[in-house]
Amino acid sequence: MSTEKETTQVNASPYGLAETDADKESQTTQQARVNDWSAEEEAAVVRKIDLLVMPLLIAGFFVLQLDRGNIGNALTDFFLAEVGITQLQFNIGNQLLSLGIVLLELPSNLVLYRVGAQKWISCQIICWGLVATFQAFIKGKGVGVYYATRLLLGLLEAGFIPAGLYTLTQWYKRNETSRRFTAFFLGNMTASASSGLIAYGVLQMRGTAGLSGWQWMFLIEGMLTILVGVIFALLMPQSPARPSNILQHSYFTPREIHILTHRVANDSPTDGPKPKYVRLADVKAAFSRWYIYPQLLVSFCSIAVISPLSTYKPSIIATYGYDRLQANALSSVSDWIVIVVNLSVGWIADKTQRRGGLVLLLVVLSFAFCLATRQLVSSTSRDLKYGILTCTTIWGSVAHPLNGSWLAVNISNPAERSITLALLIMTVNTAGLAGAQIFQAHDAPLYRTGFTVILTLASIALAFGIAANVQYVWLNKKLGKKEEVDDEAGEVGQRWRFSL
């Protein structure tokens, strides 16, 4: 039984794992590892990171999800009629948002790698906050302005999520990442959970100052985003090696900086010195690591299930017989449950150092509840349908961040990790493109076809969840056999095992 704490040489080409230039360089640049601090000192440093870096990244994700997801709440406030668009055009607008993210996801992370999170992420938050605020004024402007706004919002949001995930891998060790990844996604989940409750209150402002409720919602939440962007710019430290804010105030003592700069390096002995730029070789290596693709497909299918459900959940609940404003509040229940499950799963993953089995459990549960939802489309019991729908939207939301953590710990090279995480988020936003058209007007209000498609996607996620676990077991057995050969030849090196 092995965990990612075991380390290795990465020259595993006999088993289909290409030895890249980056791998070779990291092997030749190994240095003596410094570990001259106590566990208490390190724990104090980690607590300081938790109190400084984590809240800023979580806050950024919170406002991103508010600005991305609040349009689903706007649907219950006559948004389509007042803007002058159809449901099909509404779906296309959401596809354009996902397309914008996909187009700039990788370029955004190349910029991040060059200039750092402090400058790049704060700039992103402020820019998309401006667009989110001014979309309050698209009332009566028609489909062209609506399309342009959604596309621009997606282009400006591109790269934030992988940037946040990559930033966490620079500050935390591998056995600390699952909890921090899930905590990071807590921003997304808290926003999803709060969005319905916020909408329930704000939409009642309809008529105030001559504005619709959805206009007030966009204005308030957009201005909150700009405020978060300014705070992020002022407070976010530059990097573990230079942990000071934009005003050049250092949050750490020289001793703490020493611990910061060495503890993560010690934990990733295959990492070489971090180059200033992402090289073409790193990009090629990231895309050529074939074993990441089953995990990417798990996230694709999971998000393709929950993305349309998140958008249409208030509207679907309203068709069960609930009041339109009440439906917004009820839609938040599953998101609050997701927060608890997400934190619990992240804690278990870091304690056990087992992520693959947990991901598989989550996709099994997702499949089971998607099946139940499809079977109940004709049921007249609104409470039963609401309860099952609530459970259906839980599991994919938890599987995705855990799957991202599992992916990250199996990529040792920092440049490749940055690219792979960008590829992960590109994949899930492509899922948003696919999922945006699942619920069609002609299929309403039962959405028989829509829920059949969702069940199919959950089935595919289950198949690839199994495949991802099986492949890592197989690869570890192959690496174990190679080690036996090396030992017999008298070659003793650092040992690698894929995290299971």
Side-chain angles (χ1 to χ4, degrees):
M1 183 180 299
S2 60
T3 72
E4 71 269 19
K5 289 184 178 179
E6 296 175 287
T7 56
T8 185
Q9 299 169 323
V10 193
N11 54 346
S13 53
Y15 313 118
L17 309 180
E19 183 180 35
T20 68
D21 293 339
D23 293 332
K24 294 175 182 177
E25 178 181 315
S26 66
Q27 292 173 42
T28 60
T29 56
Q30 295 298 311
Q31 298 177 350
R33 300 290 167 179
V34 179
N35 190 355
D36 57 0
W37 55 84
S38 66
E40 291 76 15
E41 285 181 296
E42 184 171 0
V45 168
V46 173
R47 281 194 299 271
K48 188 175 284 191
I49 301 171
D50 286 340
L51 293 173
L52 177 63
V53 175
M54 288 302 309
L56 293 171
L57 291 172
I58 291 171
F61 209 166
F62 179 87
V63 293
L64 179 139
Q65 183 56 35
L66 274 187
D67 296 331
R68 178 184 298 184
N70 56 14
I71 200 163
N73 302 110
L75 277 178
T76 64
D77 194 47
F78 316 111
F79 178 81
L80 298 182
E82 293 185 354
V83 175
I85 59 175
T86 66
Q87 184 173 337
L88 176 62
Q89 291 167 337
F90 172 85
N91 289 341
I92 293 173
N94 281 333
Q95 287 180 304
L96 288 174
L97 183 143
S98 296
L99 176 63
I101 294 173
V102 171
L103 289 175
L104 292 189
E105 197 84 296
L106 186 54
S108 177
N109 274 266
L110 297 179
V111 176
L112 166 83
Y113 193 85
R114 176 69 180 91
V115 305
Q118 182 191 69
K119 297 175 183 176
W120 185 242
I121 294 180
S122 58
C123 178
Q124 279 189 287
I125 297 174
I126 293 171
C127 289
W128 90 59
L130 289 169
V131 175
T133 302
F134 285 106
Q135 71 179 341
F137 303 106
I138 65 174
K139 185 175 182 178
K141 302 298 183 184
V143 67
V145 173
Y146 168 69
Y147 283 168
T149 303
R150 299 308 285 178
L151 177 61
L152 185 58
L153 192 62
L155 291 170
L156 292 173
E157 288 179 350
F160 172 81
I161 300 174
L165 296 175
Y166 174 72
T167 301
L168 291 177
T169 66
Q170 299 303 106
W171 289 88
Y172 291 101
K173 296 194 297 187
R174 287 179 294 170
N175 66 350
E176 300 165 347
T177 57
S178 289
R179 278 172 288 180
R180 274 70 185 192
F181 272 41
T182 54
F184 175 58
F185 276 86
L186 189 64
N188 168 280
M189 295 168 185
T190 305
S192 296
S194 303
S195 184
L197 299 178
I198 294 171
Y200 178 75
V202 174
L203 293 181
Q204 297 185 57
M205 295 176 66
R206 166 172 282 273
T208 303
L211 298 177
S212 300
W214 61 266
Q215 289 180 289
W216 278 112
M217 183 171 63
F218 288 154
L219 280 171
I220 293 170
E221 295 178 356
M223 289 188 289
L224 175 62
T225 299
I226 295 171
L227 177 62
V228 168
V230 172
I231 293 173
F232 192 101
L234 292 174
L235 299 183
M236 182 68 183
Q238 296 181 59
S239 69
R242 298 178 61 194
S244 57
N245 63 19
I246 197 171
L247 302 176
Q248 300 306 312
H249 168 71
S250 179
Y251 297 104
F252 296 86
T253 66
R255 173 66 175 170
E256 290 172 330
I257 294 173
H258 168 76
I259 298 172
L260 276 173
T261 55
H262 286 85
R263 70 185 209 96
V264 175
N266 291 1
D267 184 59
S268 302
T270 57
D271 286 357
K274 179 178 178 289
K276 196 172 183 179
Y277 299 94
V278 174
R279 300 162 299 182
L280 181 59
D282 297 319
V283 176
K284 289 180 178 178
F287 277 85
S288 66
R289 291 189 185 275
W290 54 266
Y291 51 84
I292 69 173
Y293 289 99
Q295 286 183 255
L296 294 180
L297 288 167
V298 168
S299 281
F300 176 90
C301 293
S302 297
I303 298 303
V305 167
I306 65 172
S307 176
L309 285 175
S310 297
T311 300
Y312 279 94
K313 188 165 48 172
S315 301
I316 291 173
I317 292 172
T319 67
Y320 294 165
Y322 297 97
D323 174 76
R324 68 180 184 87
L325 294 180
Q326 185 184 24
N328 282 292
L330 288 172
S331 70
S332 69
V333 172
S334 63
D335 299 306
W336 290 110
I337 298 173
V338 163
I339 292 172
V340 176
V341 177
N342 187 56
L343 291 174
S344 301
V345 167
W347 183 85
I348 293 170
D350 274 347
K351 282 294 182 181
T352 63
Q353 293 303 302
R354 293 286 174 172
R355 298 173 178 86
L358 288 171
V359 169
L360 181 57
L361 173 62
L362 292 169
V363 295
V364 168
L365 290 170
S366 176
F367 169 78
F369 280 99
C370 285
L371 177 60
T373 300
R374 177 60 185 85
Q375 293 297 105
L376 289 173
V377 292
S378 300
S379 172
T380 57
S381 174
R382 73 172 192 175
D383 292 337
L384 176 61
K385 292 176 72 173
Y386 166 70
I388 295 298
L389 179 68
T390 295
C391 293
T392 301
T393 57
I394 293 173
W395 314 110
S397 299
V398 181
H400 171 47
L402 181 62
N403 192 40
S405 169
W406 188 24
L407 191 63
V409 299
N410 281 325
I411 304 292
S412 65
N413 180 275
E416 287 184 43
R417 190 184 308 127
S418 172
I419 297 163
T420 302
L421 290 173
L423 183 59
L424 172 67
I425 305 304
M426 287 173 65
T427 300
V428 300
N429 279 286
T430 304
L433 275 168
Q437 292 289 359
I438 286 178
F439 293 123
Q440 299 279 348
H442 65 80
D443 196 29
L446 298 181
Y447 293 117
R448 294 179 186 274
T449 302
F451 282 113
T452 300
V453 173
I454 281 176
L455 176 59
T456 302
L457 289 166
S459 304
I460 297 171
L462 176 57
F464 282 104
I466 295 171
N469 278 274
V470 169
Q471 71 173 5
Y472 285 130
V473 171
W474 177 75
L475 288 171
N476 279 342
K477 287 183 178 179
K478 288 287 187 178
L479 291 170
K481 290 180 180 178
K482 183 176 186 304
E483 287 171 8
E484 293 177 3
V485 174
D486 290 343
D487 288 343
E488 290 176 0
E491 299 178 10
V492 179
Q494 295 172 318
R495 311 292 186 168
W496 170 266
R497 285 293 187 275
F498 286 100
S499 173
L500 300 177

